[in-house]
Amino acid sequence: MHGLHLTADLHGCRCAPHWLLDADALGRACTEAVQASGLQAVAQLVHAFPSTEHGPGGVTATVLLAESHLCVHTWPEQRAVTLDVYVCNFGADHSGKAHALMNALLALFDPVAAERHALLRGAVVQERTP
């Protein structure tokens, strides 16, 4: 359970609108960013939301990683995105790869402002010898 959980709330994204609207394009970009960071994608699910009276529908993209997960949620009517990257560090420390993945997505969305958080989860439990 020992791992690193990174989150970011992006505001005023200056990216091309299709990154906030096009589920297929965003899904491919997420998978490519995962691969470039050195993490291993094992499955992906992408969902496009319909337009409402507030504007065009956003996208939820999730990539299941061998190390844990990436989740992206877009709000095109607000030019906003939330990012969630969690990696388990049980077998190896994947923290650098998690930061690389987060940085790649920040570059993709190009926000005016980003609220970033990092949470170390769990602890490495040392076996006690009697």
Side-chain angles (χ1 to χ4, degrees):
M1 139 171 171
H2 174 63
L4 177 63
H5 196 156
L6 303 175
T7 65
D9 299 335
L10 312 183
H11 306 279
C13 293
R14 297 171 287 203
C15 60
H18 77 276
W19 294 123
L20 304 173
L21 299 166
D22 185 329
D24 291 334
L26 181 58
R28 282 190 304 276
C30 287
T31 301
E32 290 169 5
V34 164
Q35 291 171 343
S37 72
L39 295 168
Q40 182 181 355
V42 296
Q44 179 185 55
L45 183 61
V46 182
H47 176 75
F49 291 90
S51 297
T52 68
E53 67 275 4
H54 301 289
V59 175
T60 292
T62 301
V63 180
L64 179 64
L65 306 175
E67 302 80 10
S68 198
H69 70 264
L70 160 66
C71 293
V72 178
H73 308 281
T74 71
W75 283 270
E77 72 281 5
Q78 298 178 30
R79 306 244 358 123
V81 174
T82 59
L83 304 174
D84 181 326
V85 175
Y86 176 65
V87 292
C88 174
N89 287 333
F90 182 75
D93 186 352
H94 300 288
S95 299
K97 295 173 184 178
H99 283 288
L101 176 55
M102 179 64 75
N103 290 337
L105 294 169
L106 284 165
L108 175 72
F109 293 112
D110 191 23
V112 170
E115 300 169 42
R116 296 178 71 169
H117 299 278
L119 174 65
L120 293 175
R121 297 184 68 181
V124 176
V125 178
Q126 299 295 325
E127 291 286 327
R128 293 186 182 179
T129 54

